[in-house]
């Protein structure tokens, strides 16, 4: 039996690792490597990563939900960047912060809050796009929508939002690549905490009350530092996740341009399309847990202290769970369809509480984009390749948008699945 533990981490028996994480092929198209690993070696030790790797849905779900696996580790980049947050603590402290996050982002009215911001932020951004001329949709559409919605939800003015974004950019880069000096990151975090503290003290705008007033209420339930870091974390993730997901949705839409009219007139299709994008091309491919006690995983004995990397993206394409897993199906999550366990937002006690918010932003952006434009074409220099370290998306997506000259109608053929 293979044993993975402190002082005994080789565990490969002379075999080559099933995934070459440093290869250009994996960075640009990881799906064949994931499929091969799921089939042949779903759990293995990676010398390159210094972690146990897990790619099958059942094993990933086990790591995410079994208490023998924990997020607690004092040298995680997220803790170094943000300080202690719900990302890297368990137990009572985690529950307190999670309740606050769910109160802020996971409540039922979040879709309505996004819809309330849509005309002024999502609608204005989309209506301002140039028609018939090439435009980088990442910089001109995905990023302004993601940043604008988060500013609006927290009641932050544009000038303050720009200051926060400048500091957040270096913090986020450190988490992704660690090629930024940690001392500079700590300075940025302190500046961010000062800005957020001022916002709390002065009172966030009551419009929209959906989130801003809830932050005020949470101030009495969390210590000040906890509240500031929780808000900092939510602002960072609340920008990067929708930004990458909108960009990925546009890249997928280029292969499904026949759906544009349906997206304009069928709200439920936009919701399903958004969730399927999160399954098919998730912004984040993996996350890490740590073993707090000896256990078995995929037929391998794993000892305390080992770091485990679970590949959420691979689990989302597991053929044993998802029918036609490598095919994009925009109707997969339509109302009435059997629920399927997508793991892009994790699972269990550390599942991301921002899923309703991210999904609502993506769906609303798709509906309004399709409502204003009848076709979305790649420009000559368009590169829809989805790449990245932490968050994956097209880095530049140059599109030509053809304006809609007449309203789309509901009498459209059913969606083809390709």
């Amino acid at each position: 039996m293979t044993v993975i533990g402190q002082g005994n981490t080789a565990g490969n028996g002379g075999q080559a690792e099933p995934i070459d994480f440093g290869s250009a092929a994996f960075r640009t198209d990881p799906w064949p490597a994931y499929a091969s690993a799921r089939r042949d070696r779903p759990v293995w030790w990676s010398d390159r990563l210094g972690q146990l790797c897990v790619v099958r849905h059942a094993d990933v779900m086990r790591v995410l939900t079994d208490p023998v696996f924990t997020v607690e580790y004092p040298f995680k980049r997220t803790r170094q960047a943000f300080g202690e947050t719900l990302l890297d603590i368990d137990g009572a402290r985690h529950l307190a912060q999670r309740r606050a996050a769910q109160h802020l982002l996971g409540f039922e009215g979040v879709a309505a809050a996004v819809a309330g911001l849509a005309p002024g932020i999502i609608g204005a951004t989309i209506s301002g796009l140039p028609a018939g001329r090439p435009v980088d949709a990442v910089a001109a559409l995905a990023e302004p929508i993601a940043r604008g919605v988060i500013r609006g939800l927290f009641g932050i003015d544009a000038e303050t939002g720009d200051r926060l974004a400048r500091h957040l950019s270096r913090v986020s880069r450190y988490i992704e690549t660690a090629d930024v000096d940690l001392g500079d990151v700590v300075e940025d975090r302190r500046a961010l905490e000062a800005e957020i503290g001022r916002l709390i003290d002065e009172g966030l705008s009551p419009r929209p009350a959906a989130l801003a007033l809830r932050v005020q209420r949470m101030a009495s339930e969390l210590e000040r530092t906890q509240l500031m870091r929780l808000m900092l974390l939510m602002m960072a993730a609340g920008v990067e996740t929708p930004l990458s997901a909108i960009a990925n949705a546009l890249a997928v839409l280029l292969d499904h341009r026949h759906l544009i009219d349906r997206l304009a007139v069928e709200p439920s299709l936009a919701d399903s399309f958004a969730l399927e994008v999160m399954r098919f091309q998730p912004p984040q491919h993996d996350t890490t847990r740590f073993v707090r006690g000896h256990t078995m995983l995929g037929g391998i004995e794993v000892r305390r202290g080992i770091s485990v990397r679970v590949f959420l993206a691979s689990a989302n394409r597991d053929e044993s769970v998802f029918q036609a897993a490598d095919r994009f199906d925009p109707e997969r999550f339509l109302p009435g369809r059997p629920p399927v366990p997508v793991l892009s937002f994790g699972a269990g006690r550390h599942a991301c509480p921002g899923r309703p918010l991210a999904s609502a932003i993506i769906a609303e952006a798709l509906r309004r984009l399709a409502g204003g434009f009848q076709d979305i074409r790649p420009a000559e220099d368009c590169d829809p390749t989805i790449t990245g370290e932490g968050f994956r998306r097209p880095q530049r997506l140059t599109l030509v948008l053809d304006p809609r000259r007449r309203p789309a109608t509901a009498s459209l053929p059913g969606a083809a699945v390709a």
Side-chain angles (χ1 to χ4, degrees), residues 3 24 31 74 77 80 92 123 140 162 176-177 188 195 224 258 275 282 285 288-289 299 348 355 369 383 402 404:
V3 179
W31 308 110
R77 283 191 218 166
Q80 293 173 329
D162 288 342
E176 284 214 23
T177 65
D188 282 313
E195 288 277 6
R224 181 181 176 81
H258 59 282
L275 287 175
H285 274 220
T288 295
R289 296 290 187 268
R355 173 174 177 166
L369 186 69
D383 183 6
D402 296 329
R404 190 171 292 284

Side-chain angles (χ1 to χ4, degrees), residues 137-190:
V138 176
L141 192 157
E143 186 170 359
I145 287 176
R147 297 194 185 282
V149 169
I150 290 300
R151 284 201 308 266
L153 286 171
F154 280 99
I156 299 172
D157 62 71
E159 182 180 348
T160 302
D162 288 342
R163 288 200 303 273
L164 290 169
R166 285 194 295 272
H167 291 299
L168 274 171
S169 63
R170 192 155 51 182
V171 174
S172 298
R173 183 169 176 79
Y174 175 78
I175 294 170
E176 284 214 23
T177 65
D179 64 353
V180 179
D181 185 82
L182 180 57
D184 293 334
V185 171
V186 171
E187 285 187 17
D188 282 313
R189 188 183 79 203
R190 288 171 178 162

